[in-house]
Amino acid sequence: MTALSVNINKVALLRNSRGCDEPNVLQFSQDLIKLGAEGITLHPRPDGRHALYSDVYELKKNIDVELNVEGYPSEDFLEMVCEVKPDQCTLVPDPPGALTSDSGWDCEKNMDFLQKVVARLQAEGVRVSIFLDPDPVQVNFAMKTGTDRIELYTQSYAESYGTDSFEKVFAGYFATAARAVELGVGVNAGHDLNQENLTYLKQNLPGLAEVSIGHALISEMLYQGMETTIKNYLDCLK
Ligand SMILES: CC(=O)[C@@H](O)[C@H](O)COP(=O)(O)O
Ligand SMILES: NCC(=O)COP(=O)(O)O
């Protein structure tokens, strides 16, 4: 079973654009959950462009599905996560001004740092996932950090989908996920997934436990509406 965790960053972006509380992030999340979303993800970035720390606190108190908080493990981010204690924290290596997440960790180079962060979060009962490029070698280092899961960064999967290079690109994802399963590390995936490319990933990637999807899903809702869009994504994951 692969859980659908909806990333509400873009709902928060719309809310922030007018300085009021419309759309309300909590109400939107609760409506997503009523329609079958099995998790909520948000990525409070340092510049507060969309999801905010206050959203994390409010969601934690008011939703009954898994909460996944993504971010660079700065001290203030870690203090917030350790206080909120979401179900999962996904560590991403984004610098503060990043337009969006565009690479996974080099776990070998950041081993000491990541080991300390992983241990700190796990001590608070938070499951840890590390954002990773499709590279089986990196999985070995990710395991050494002590992480519970990896999150495969699926931008190149999405970009190659339907092109001549897809088979070669997907082979890297398959090898990385298979290595994670072999090492007992959980497999999540996210970034640029959509209704067109999700089914193949679900049907062919070993051990896929969770997908976190935001930009395409929220954009598609503008055309299809919330109910149809969520139903379509859940159908892709059957
Ligand atoms: C980690 C990842 O790939 C996405 O979850 C990221 O959170 C997207 O961030 P933006 O919504 O700011 O593009
Ligand atoms: N971790 C990926 C995520 O939460 C959403 O990424 P995207 O669907 O907005 O590209």
Side-chain angles (χ1 to χ4, degrees), residues 7 10 41 70 131 151 189-193 212-216:
N7 185 310
K10 300 302 157 27
T41 290
E70 299 181 329
F131 203 53
E151 175 174 335
H191 204 96
D192 286 343
L193 295 175
S212 44
I213 307 175
H215 191 87

Side-chain angles (χ1 to χ4, degrees), residues 9-171:
N9 289 351
K10 300 302 157 27
V11 182
L13 187 70
L14 185 57
R15 177 208 48 204
N16 293 0
S17 65
R18 190 61 72 83
C20 60
D21 195 18
E22 184 67 30
N24 179 282
V25 164
L26 174 58
Q27 184 59 58
F28 198 98
S29 301
Q30 289 171 330
D31 292 341
L32 289 168
I33 293 162
K34 282 179 197 155
L35 292 169
E38 293 140 326
I40 297 294
T41 290
L42 67 172
H43 185 156
R45 291 187 178 273
D47 62 9
R49 69 186 78 162
H50 44 51
L52 305 172
Y53 285 3
S54 55
D55 294 317
V56 180
Y57 283 89
E58 192 174 37
L59 285 165
K60 170 67 179 177
K61 283 188 291 198
N62 294 287
I63 66 170
D64 56 4
V65 297
E66 284 223 345
L67 179 63
N68 174 38
V69 180
E70 299 181 329
Y72 178 83
S74 62
E75 185 52 31
D76 70 316
F77 175 82
L78 290 172
E79 283 175 13
M80 178 274 292
V81 174
C82 289
E83 188 170 36
V84 171
K85 298 177 178 47
D87 301 276
Q88 179 175 265
C89 179
T90 300
L91 305 177
V92 295
D94 296 3
L99 172 66
T100 187
S101 306
D102 63 5
S103 70
W105 285 95
D106 182 331
C107 295
E108 185 180 15
K109 281 186 185 168
N110 294 281
M111 184 60 70
D112 290 349
F113 174 61
L114 289 172
Q115 284 178 331
K116 290 184 176 73
V117 168
V118 169
R120 181 173 171 185
L121 293 174
Q122 289 175 336
E124 300 294 338
V126 178
R127 180 198 314 135
V128 180
S129 181
I130 288 183
F131 203 53
L132 214 63
D133 293 319
D135 175 356
V137 173
Q138 274 296 331
V139 179
N140 301 317
F141 294 114
M143 187 193 73
K144 277 183 72 178
T145 71
T147 191
D148 302 288
R149 296 189 185 178
I150 60 170
E151 175 174 335
L152 278 172
Y153 171 45
T154 47
Q155 190 270 343
S156 59
Y157 167 85
E159 194 170 67
S160 67
Y161 190 79
T163 71
D164 293 343
S165 64
F166 179 69
E167 190 177 341
K168 183 169 181 243
V169 169
F170 184 72

